[in-house]
Amino acid sequence: MRIELATSPGSPERPNEDWASVTLPASGRGGTAVVLDGVTPPQDDAGCVHTVPWFTARLGGALVELSGSRRDLTLREVLAKSIRRTADTHRDTCDLSHVRTPQATVVLARWGGPDQDVEYLVLSDSTLLLETPEGVVRPVLDDRLDRLPRAALRTHALADALRNAEGGFFTAAADPSVAARAVAGSVPRGQVRSVVALTDGASRWVDMFSQGDWAECVALLRKEGAQGLIDRVRELEAAAQARTGVIRWKLHDDASAVFVEL
């Protein structure tokens, strides 16, 4: 088994709000990959005394522990219990009903022995890729945010009205019931050669800069590793800024990539 993991902050002046981990059991059979992209709130009050990295570290830790120790739980159940556990750690000090309470996107994958399935879960706009032994790559995406008109997200107030709301988009915040909204499923282990998880700062190589398709992205990861992909994205961002002098989107975003070859 080959494992590549890399993460890079969007700015050295800000903490990295992504969180990524790959864990393997002592038996050597199976494992879990978790990638979270913390949602950066506006500068005004979000009802919580804690930072986004504080939140992603606790949610990520709960996801790793429960997905590995509770194989009897589905990944939706793992996510629901992890959200509840994280919320319980700060519900006495923070207003968890606030629409901008700390939250994150989620990619979660779990695999067992050769005769077991590869399970997966995606919530919000991070990306999961499943590569077959023949090299066919299937993206698993929660595209609800992408399907919203850009005008509906033009201001923080407009986005807040759609955040974790019917007809809008969903993230892991403080409500365990959001786990039911996640895109989840499973495929036989024999049909999966590799598993890839990307936050949107890393998936820019495909979905913003159009340097290749998802299969070519996996090929790049296999050749240059997770850090190689992120380095390519950073080069493209810098080149775009140099060409135009004006960037209408966030120049650099926190970027995380996990590549697991089973």
Side-chain angles (χ1 to χ4, degrees):
M1 181 175 292
R2 174 187 171 191
I3 297 171
E4 291 268 357
L5 187 156
T7 185
S8 172
S11 167
E13 285 77 40
R14 291 180 54 86
N16 191 339
E17 295 174 339
D18 285 0
W19 194 93
S21 177
V22 178
T23 59
L24 303 175
S27 66
R29 292 172 61 87
T32 299
V34 180
V35 172
L36 308 178
D37 183 353
V39 178
T40 305
Q43 294 301 309
D44 55 339
D45 177 42
C48 184
V49 300
H50 301 100
T51 65
V52 174
W54 177 95
F55 173 80
T56 54
R58 278 152 185 81
L59 179 61
L63 287 167
V64 165
E65 193 259 305
L66 288 173
S67 61
S69 65
R70 294 292 308 274
R71 290 268 170 173
D72 57 311
L73 299 176
T74 68
L75 293 188
R76 284 197 176 105
E77 292 170 331
V78 165
L79 177 58
K81 288 182 178 295
S82 297
I83 291 173
R84 182 177 293 108
R85 179 185 293 186
T86 304
D88 286 345
T89 65
H90 67 136
R91 69 173 69 255
D92 293 337
T93 57
C94 306
D95 177 12
L96 302 189
S97 67
H98 197 293
V99 69
R100 297 191 198 117
T101 193
Q103 52 202 272
T105 74
V106 180
V107 174
L108 180 59
R110 180 170 65 181
W111 57 94
D115 58 340
Q116 295 176 301
D117 288 348
V118 175
E119 305 164 78
Y120 60 82
L121 178 149
V122 178
L123 185 67
S124 200
D125 61 344
S126 290
T127 299
L128 175 72
L129 305 176
L130 300 174
E131 181 193 26
T132 70
E134 297 75 30
V136 177
V137 175
R138 173 192 171 193
V140 180
L141 307 170
D142 176 359
D143 65 351
R144 278 171 285 212
L145 186 58
D146 290 336
R147 285 190 273 117
L148 294 172
R150 293 299 96 186
L153 304 171
R154 186 172 294 129
T155 67
H156 292 310
L158 288 171
D160 285 348
L162 295 168
R163 188 184 306 278
N164 290 317
E166 199 66 46
F169 62 98
F170 297 89
T171 60
D175 180 6
S177 69
V178 77
R181 305 286 188 163
V183 177
S186 64
V187 293
R189 168 76 179 264
Q191 296 179 16
V192 181
R193 178 186 182 188
S194 68
V195 175
V196 172
L198 307 170
T199 60
D200 61 353
S203 66
R204 285 180 169 193
W205 191 83
V206 173
D207 53 30
M208 177 177 286
F209 294 111
S210 302
Q211 294 297 293
D213 59 21
W214 294 121
E216 290 168 316
C217 182
V218 173
L220 175 61
L221 282 160
R222 180 170 283 113
K223 180 180 179 182
E224 300 186 16
Q227 188 60 53
L229 173 64
I230 294 173
D231 290 345
R232 292 281 194 111
V233 170
R234 295 292 185 242
E235 291 168 2
L236 291 164
E237 292 165 340
Q241 183 185 38
R243 281 196 308 271
T244 65
V246 176
I247 297 296
R248 301 187 184 279
W249 32 266
K250 188 188 298 184
L251 175 58
H252 300 301
D253 197 3
D254 298 338
S256 298
V258 169
F259 173 75
V260 180
E261 194 156 38
L262 302 179

